[in-house]
Amino acid sequence: EEWLAEVIREDRNSSSAARRARQIWSFMHGERNFVRRWEDASKSLHPNGFSTKFIENISKLGATVHGGLLLDRVEQSQDGTRKFLFSIHGDEDSAYRVETV
């Protein structure tokens, strides 16, 4: 939350801080995006994605969209339930994994 406030303050080209916060949330958690890197949400990949300048600025702040969890795999069952397998702290070879449905 703190870094999001900092990102919004640093993004001087944003016409609306609330819009930017919703955009970030959407790429992190909404609309089945679950991006792993800022670059995965760039305008070159998504019409409502982030500009190159924004990605450069936010990267300088050290902010990440994975929040310490990296999505390794999504499995979907026949009934539509999805299981997510995450590794912790970006170490994909780590024994520390989280599964959630």
Side-chain angles (χ1 to χ4, degrees), residues 3 15 17 22 25 27 29 31 50 52 54 70 75 80-81 88-89 96 101:
W3 69 258
S15 61
R22 281 191 303 275
W25 183 90
F27 278 105
H29 306 290
E31 301 173 17
F50 302 114
T52 302
F54 177 79
L70 285 179
E75 298 174 0
T81 303
I88 298 176
H89 300 291
Y96 301 106
V101 176

Side-chain angles (χ1 to χ4, degrees), residues 9-23:
R9 276 194 298 276
E10 290 294 319
D11 184 18
R12 299 185 196 334
N13 296 324
S14 177
S15 61
S16 167
R19 179 191 61 78
R20 177 64 79 194
R22 281 191 303 275
Q23 182 185 26

Side-chain angles (χ1 to χ4, degrees), residues 45-76:
L45 298 174
H46 300 277
N48 62 337
F50 302 114
S51 69
T52 302
K53 180 142 180 79
F54 177 79
I55 292 171
E56 288 172 5
N57 288 341
I58 198 167
S59 296
K60 288 178 188 173
L61 293 172
T64 65
V65 287
H66 60 70
L69 291 177
L70 285 179
L71 180 62
D72 292 331
R73 183 171 74 238
V74 178
E75 298 174 0
Q76 188 163 353

